[in-house]
Amino acid sequence: MKDISWFNDMEARIPTGEVRTRFAPSPTGYMHVGNLRTALYTYLIARHGKGKFILRIEDTDQGRLVEGAVDVIYKTMAECHLEHDEGPDVGGPVAPYVQTERRPLYKEYAELLMERGHAYRCFCEKTESEEDSGDFNRGDDPCRSLTREESDRLAAEGRPYVIRQRIPHEGTTTFHDEIYGDITVENQSLDDQVLLKRDGLPTYNFANVIDDHLMGITHVVRGSEYLSSAPKYNLLYEGFGWPIPKYVHCSPVMRDQHNKMSKRHGDPSYEDLIAQGFLTDAVINYVTLLGWSPRGEQEIFSLDELKEIFDISGISKSPAIFDIEKLRYFNAEYIRAMSPEAFAKVAEPFIRQAVKNPAIDPAAVAALLQQRTEVSSAPRS
């Protein structure tokens, strides 16, 4: 393990005194609507607070990586005008911003946590799923009770191991979420999750805590499915003696009353919506309102207006249902507000598909269609 001066130097690099948020997608495919909403909320919190918006690529789950997915992330964020202040492509004071490039850091912090008694090496044979999740009966794990000397000896002999978080057996842990308030759980209900896997890569939960702290993140926006992990995050922060950021857990975006949106079930990604003829600005406006309510009756907002009015207190605990017809309404409003020239430019490719006579001016056709158009694509059958 590094000496204490190395850890002090890492602390000295952390930016302070400003709002700092991060969008931390995994490059596993398309930008689905829930991910886009997380990016928007994270961006708007930073901009409303006159702070910094950071892009971090979380690629530690090597088995799920999709070639070209990082380019999709950059492309989508650029199209949606979500410019980041720090990230893999623009650098920043706490680089690198790709988790696999930060790999050496995690081992040092896992060992520091062991030194402080809040983690331990586990030499037991576990399945890969158990190793990733930590989902096993810790009472049956003899490694939890190994002395440090015994653990060091087994490691020196070359025995493979993971590093697990040592959750207290007794008591409770309380965490605060900006949406859900204070939540208390019994420590005995928490498992000794894996922090560092046998291959030296961190698990999602451990890397998040380390990176969020070292990057000075003040607000962590993520889905409500991570509420159950928040007590373990708190115990990690407390084990290191670090301040805990503000948690903002957002309810899911649903396809209907009972099912979350899913690409596997044919629900559209951002790219799908654009290909279907929806305008980026209309998608941004509508997706922001999926689970967030502004004060007053206004529904149509530019991104600059959203930066000014976005408030965490407007985020709802209730799941939001994605309504394609409501999005069509928003899109129609944006189309009607466009200049004739701008609409003609957007509509021309679709008009050319439908009108084969080259003598007909697409701009003239667009002028007839603009006030009656909901999406810039071929009519629905």
Side-chain angles (χ1 to χ4, degrees), residues 257-280:
Q257 291 274 349
H258 307 290
N259 300 290
K260 291 173 64 174
M261 288 189 75
S262 169
K263 184 71 175 174
R264 291 193 302 273
H265 294 124
D267 295 315
S269 66
Y270 165 79
E271 286 189 325
D272 293 331
L273 293 172
I274 299 308
Q276 292 169 16
F278 291 98
L279 301 172
T280 291

mmCIF file of all heavy atoms in Angstrom, residues 257-280:
data_model
loop_
_atom_site.group_PDB
_atom_site.id
_atom_site.type_symbol
_atom_site.label_atom_id
_atom_site.label_comp_id
_atom_site.label_asym_id
_atom_site.label_seq_id
_atom_site.Cartn_x
_atom_site.Cartn_y
_atom_site.Cartn_z
ATOM 1 N N GLN A 257 -47.892 1.046 -16.799
ATOM 2 C CA GLN A 257 -48.044 1.035 -15.339
ATOM 3 C C GLN A 257 -47.163 0.001 -14.643
ATOM 4 O O GLN A 257 -46.821 0.161 -13.475
ATOM 5 C CB GLN A 257 -49.519 0.726 -14.991
ATOM 6 C CG GLN A 257 -50.478 1.827 -15.364
ATOM 7 C CD GLN A 257 -50.613 2.893 -14.287
ATOM 8 O OE1 GLN A 257 -50.138 2.709 -13.169
ATOM 9 N NE2 GLN A 257 -51.251 3.997 -14.621
ATOM 10 N N HIS A 258 -46.780 -1.059 -15.355
ATOM 11 C CA HIS A 258 -46.126 -2.194 -14.688
ATOM 12 C C HIS A 258 -44.720 -2.502 -15.188
ATOM 13 O O HIS A 258 -44.007 -3.269 -14.535
ATOM 14 C CB HIS A 258 -46.995 -3.455 -14.852
ATOM 15 C CG HIS A 258 -48.405 -3.275 -14.413
ATOM 16 N ND1 HIS A 258 -48.762 -3.137 -13.089
ATOM 17 C CD2 HIS A 258 -49.564 -3.193 -15.128
ATOM 18 C CE1 HIS A 258 -50.070 -2.981 -12.998
ATOM 19 N NE2 HIS A 258 -50.584 -3.011 -14.209
ATOM 20 N N ASN A 259 -44.302 -1.929 -16.315
ATOM 21 C CA ASN A 259 -43.033 -2.333 -16.933
ATOM 22 C C ASN A 259 -42.130 -1.138 -17.211
ATOM 23 O O ASN A 259 -42.579 -0.121 -17.754
ATOM 24 C CB ASN A 259 -43.304 -3.068 -18.252
ATOM 25 C CG ASN A 259 -44.132 -4.326 -18.062
ATOM 26 O OD1 ASN A 259 -43.649 -5.306 -17.513
ATOM 27 N ND2 ASN A 259 -45.386 -4.295 -18.512
ATOM 28 N N LYS A 260 -40.854 -1.296 -16.819
ATOM 29 C CA LYS A 260 -39.868 -0.282 -17.141
ATOM 30 C C LYS A 260 -39.575 -0.297 -18.637
ATOM 31 O O LYS A 260 -39.703 -1.324 -19.294
ATOM 32 C CB LYS A 260 -38.568 -0.542 -16.367
ATOM 33 C CG LYS A 260 -38.685 -0.323 -14.868
ATOM 34 C CD LYS A 260 -37.426 -0.749 -14.139
ATOM 35 C CE LYS A 260 -36.217 0.081 -14.536
ATOM 36 N NZ LYS A 260 -35.029 -0.244 -13.720
ATOM 37 N N MET A 261 -39.151 0.858 -19.149
ATOM 38 C CA MET A 261 -38.738 0.910 -20.545
ATOM 39 C C MET A 261 -37.513 0.029 -20.743
ATOM 40 O O MET A 261 -36.627 -0.035 -19.887
ATOM 41 C CB MET A 261 -38.417 2.337 -20.971
ATOM 42 C CG MET A 261 -39.626 3.223 -21.118
ATOM 43 S SD MET A 261 -39.208 4.815 -21.871
ATOM 44 C CE MET A 261 -38.989 4.337 -23.594
ATOM 45 N N SER A 262 -37.464 -0.651 -21.881
ATOM 46 C CA SER A 262 -36.365 -1.562 -22.155
ATOM 47 C C SER A 262 -36.166 -1.683 -23.652
ATOM 48 O O SER A 262 -37.133 -1.884 -24.401
ATOM 49 C CB SER A 262 -36.643 -2.947 -21.559
ATOM 50 O OG SER A 262 -35.718 -3.899 -22.028
ATOM 51 N N LYS A 263 -34.917 -1.550 -24.067
ATOM 52 C CA LYS A 263 -34.603 -1.729 -25.485
ATOM 53 C C LYS A 263 -34.963 -3.142 -25.938
ATOM 54 O O LYS A 263 -35.397 -3.364 -27.080
ATOM 55 C CB LYS A 263 -33.102 -1.467 -25.694
ATOM 56 C CG LYS A 263 -32.649 -1.531 -27.148
ATOM 57 C CD LYS A 263 -33.145 -0.354 -27.941
ATOM 58 C CE LYS A 263 -32.563 -0.386 -29.356
ATOM 59 N NZ LYS A 263 -33.134 0.667 -30.215
ATOM 60 N N ARG A 264 -34.826 -4.110 -25.023
ATOM 61 C CA ARG A 264 -35.129 -5.503 -25.370
ATOM 62 C C ARG A 264 -36.594 -5.684 -25.747
ATOM 63 O O ARG A 264 -36.944 -6.589 -26.495
ATOM 64 C CB ARG A 264 -34.788 -6.428 -24.192
ATOM 65 C CG ARG A 264 -33.313 -6.568 -23.911
ATOM 66 C CD ARG A 264 -33.047 -7.717 -22.952
ATOM 67 N NE ARG A 264 -33.744 -7.549 -21.699
ATOM 68 C CZ ARG A 264 -33.266 -6.868 -20.663
ATOM 69 N NH1 ARG A 264 -32.098 -6.284 -20.754
ATOM 70 N NH2 ARG A 264 -33.962 -6.778 -19.541
ATOM 71 N N HIS A 265 -37.455 -4.807 -25.202
ATOM 72 C CA HIS A 265 -38.884 -4.914 -25.485
ATOM 73 C C HIS A 265 -39.326 -3.955 -26.587
ATOM 74 O O HIS A 265 -40.525 -3.720 -26.762
ATOM 75 C CB HIS A 265 -39.694 -4.650 -24.213
ATOM 76 C CG HIS A 265 -39.496 -5.689 -23.155
ATOM 77 N ND1 HIS A 265 -39.085 -5.397 -21.882
ATOM 78 C CD2 HIS A 265 -39.640 -7.047 -23.199
ATOM 79 C CE1 HIS A 265 -38.976 -6.517 -21.178
ATOM 80 N NE2 HIS A 265 -39.315 -7.520 -21.953
ATOM 81 N N GLY A 266 -38.347 -3.402 -27.299
ATOM 82 C CA GLY A 266 -38.673 -2.551 -28.436
ATOM 83 C C GLY A 266 -38.898 -1.096 -28.111
ATOM 84 O O GLY A 266 -39.311 -0.320 -28.985
ATOM 85 N N ASP A 267 -38.643 -0.685 -26.866
ATOM 86 C CA ASP A 267 -38.817 0.723 -26.521
ATOM 87 C C ASP A 267 -37.703 1.552 -27.157
ATOM 88 O O ASP A 267 -36.552 1.104 -27.244
ATOM 89 C CB ASP A 267 -38.811 0.902 -25.005
ATOM 90 C CG ASP A 267 -40.006 0.214 -24.357
ATOM 91 O OD1 ASP A 267 -41.116 0.370 -24.890
ATOM 92 O OD2 ASP A 267 -39.819 -0.484 -23.340
ATOM 93 N N PRO A 268 -38.001 2.774 -27.581
ATOM 94 C CA PRO A 268 -37.028 3.540 -28.370
ATOM 95 C C PRO A 268 -35.882 4.116 -27.547
ATOM 96 O O PRO A 268 -36.064 4.532 -26.400
ATOM 97 C CB PRO A 268 -37.881 4.660 -28.976
ATOM 98 C CG PRO A 268 -38.996 4.851 -27.986
ATOM 99 C CD PRO A 268 -39.286 3.483 -27.450
ATOM 100 N N SER A 269 -34.716 4.154 -28.162
ATOM 101 C CA SER A 269 -33.581 4.894 -27.620
ATOM 102 C C SER A 269 -33.653 6.321 -28.151
ATOM 103 O O SER A 269 -34.520 6.653 -28.982
ATOM 104 C CB SER A 269 -32.274 4.246 -28.063
ATOM 105 O OG SER A 269 -32.126 4.382 -29.476
ATOM 106 N N TYR A 270 -32.755 7.161 -27.695
ATOM 107 C CA TYR A 270 -32.690 8.523 -28.237
ATOM 108 C C TYR A 270 -32.494 8.484 -29.749
ATOM 109 O O TYR A 270 -33.176 9.199 -30.500
ATOM 110 C CB TYR A 270 -31.552 9.308 -27.571
ATOM 111 C CG TYR A 270 -31.201 10.578 -28.323
ATOM 112 C CD1 TYR A 270 -31.986 11.718 -28.189
ATOM 113 C CD2 TYR A 270 -30.101 10.616 -29.192
ATOM 114 C CE1 TYR A 270 -31.683 12.868 -28.898
ATOM 115 C CE2 TYR A 270 -29.794 11.762 -29.899
ATOM 116 C CZ TYR A 270 -30.590 12.881 -29.751
ATOM 117 O OH TYR A 270 -30.301 14.020 -30.465
ATOM 118 N N GLU A 271 -31.568 7.642 -30.208
ATOM 119 C CA GLU A 271 -31.303 7.560 -31.645
ATOM 120 C C GLU A 271 -32.552 7.120 -32.417
ATOM 121 O O GLU A 271 -32.819 7.608 -33.516
ATOM 122 C CB GLU A 271 -30.153 6.592 -31.916
ATOM 123 C CG GLU A 271 -28.787 7.145 -31.546
ATOM 124 C CD GLU A 271 -27.662 6.237 -32.023
ATOM 125 O OE1 GLU A 271 -27.859 5.007 -32.008
ATOM 126 O OE2 GLU A 271 -26.612 6.762 -32.406
ATOM 127 N N ASP A 272 -33.312 6.192 -31.848
ATOM 128 C CA ASP A 272 -34.543 5.742 -32.490
ATOM 129 C C ASP A 272 -35.525 6.898 -32.646
ATOM 130 O O ASP A 272 -36.168 7.055 -33.692
ATOM 131 C CB ASP A 272 -35.205 4.625 -31.683
ATOM 132 C CG ASP A 272 -34.389 3.343 -31.664
ATOM 133 O OD1 ASP A 272 -33.662 3.093 -32.643
ATOM 134 O OD2 ASP A 272 -34.492 2.601 -30.669
ATOM 135 N N LEU A 273 -35.665 7.707 -31.598
ATOM 136 C CA LEU A 273 -36.612 8.818 -31.646
ATOM 137 C C LEU A 273 -36.228 9.830 -32.727
ATOM 138 O O LEU A 273 -37.091 10.338 -33.457
ATOM 139 C CB LEU A 273 -36.689 9.500 -30.282
ATOM 140 C CG LEU A 273 -37.301 8.657 -29.153
ATOM 141 C CD1 LEU A 273 -37.147 9.366 -27.816
ATOM 142 C CD2 LEU A 273 -38.767 8.353 -29.428
ATOM 143 N N ILE A 274 -34.942 10.104 -32.835
ATOM 144 C CA ILE A 274 -34.495 11.042 -33.869
ATOM 145 C C ILE A 274 -34.753 10.452 -35.256
ATOM 146 O O ILE A 274 -35.220 11.145 -36.169
ATOM 147 C CB ILE A 274 -33.005 11.375 -33.682
ATOM 148 C CG1 ILE A 274 -32.775 12.027 -32.312
ATOM 149 C CG2 ILE A 274 -32.511 12.289 -34.800
ATOM 150 C CD1 ILE A 274 -33.654 13.213 -32.005
ATOM 151 N N ALA A 275 -34.488 9.150 -35.412
ATOM 152 C CA ALA A 275 -34.725 8.495 -36.704
ATOM 153 C C ALA A 275 -36.211 8.485 -37.058
ATOM 154 O O ALA A 275 -36.575 8.477 -38.239
ATOM 155 C CB ALA A 275 -34.185 7.067 -36.664
ATOM 156 N N GLN A 276 -37.074 8.520 -36.043
ATOM 157 C CA GLN A 276 -38.523 8.543 -36.279
ATOM 158 C C GLN A 276 -39.043 9.931 -36.595
ATOM 159 O O GLN A 276 -40.241 10.108 -36.845
ATOM 160 C CB GLN A 276 -39.251 7.978 -35.052
ATOM 161 C CG GLN A 276 -39.033 6.487 -34.831
ATOM 162 C CD GLN A 276 -39.536 6.014 -33.465
ATOM 163 O OE1 GLN A 276 -40.310 6.711 -32.806
ATOM 164 N NE2 GLN A 276 -39.080 4.843 -33.039
ATOM 165 N N GLY A 277 -38.159 10.919 -36.590
ATOM 166 C CA GLY A 277 -38.557 12.266 -36.980
ATOM 167 C C GLY A 277 -38.787 13.237 -35.844
ATOM 168 O O GLY A 277 -39.254 14.355 -36.073
ATOM 169 N N PHE A 278 -38.458 12.851 -34.628
ATOM 170 C CA PHE A 278 -38.599 13.778 -33.511
ATOM 171 C C PHE A 278 -37.394 14.710 -33.466
ATOM 172 O O PHE A 278 -36.261 14.309 -33.765
ATOM 173 C CB PHE A 278 -38.736 13.019 -32.195
ATOM 174 C CG PHE A 278 -40.035 12.270 -32.064
ATOM 175 C CD1 PHE A 278 -40.102 10.914 -32.342
ATOM 176 C CD2 PHE A 278 -41.193 12.930 -31.682
ATOM 177 C CE1 PHE A 278 -41.301 10.221 -32.238
ATOM 178 C CE2 PHE A 278 -42.395 12.253 -31.577
ATOM 179 C CZ PHE A 278 -42.455 10.895 -31.857
ATOM 180 N N LEU A 279 -37.628 15.951 -33.072
ATOM 181 C CA LEU A 279 -36.574 16.948 -32.970
ATOM 182 C C LEU A 279 -35.851 16.817 -31.638
ATOM 183 O O LEU A 279 -36.482 16.584 -30.595
ATOM 184 C CB LEU A 279 -37.164 18.353 -33.094
ATOM 185 C CG LEU A 279 -37.923 18.664 -34.382
ATOM 186 C CD1 LEU A 279 -38.617 20.021 -34.266
ATOM 187 C CD2 LEU A 279 -36.983 18.638 -35.578
ATOM 188 N N THR A 280 -34.540 17.014 -31.662
ATOM 189 C CA THR A 280 -33.742 16.888 -30.442
ATOM 190 C C THR A 280 -34.264 17.797 -29.334
ATOM 191 O O THR A 280 -34.406 17.377 -28.177
ATOM 192 C CB THR A 280 -32.266 17.205 -30.737
ATOM 193 O OG1 THR A 280 -31.720 16.163 -31.560
ATOM 194 C CG2 THR A 280 -31.452 17.289 -29.457
#
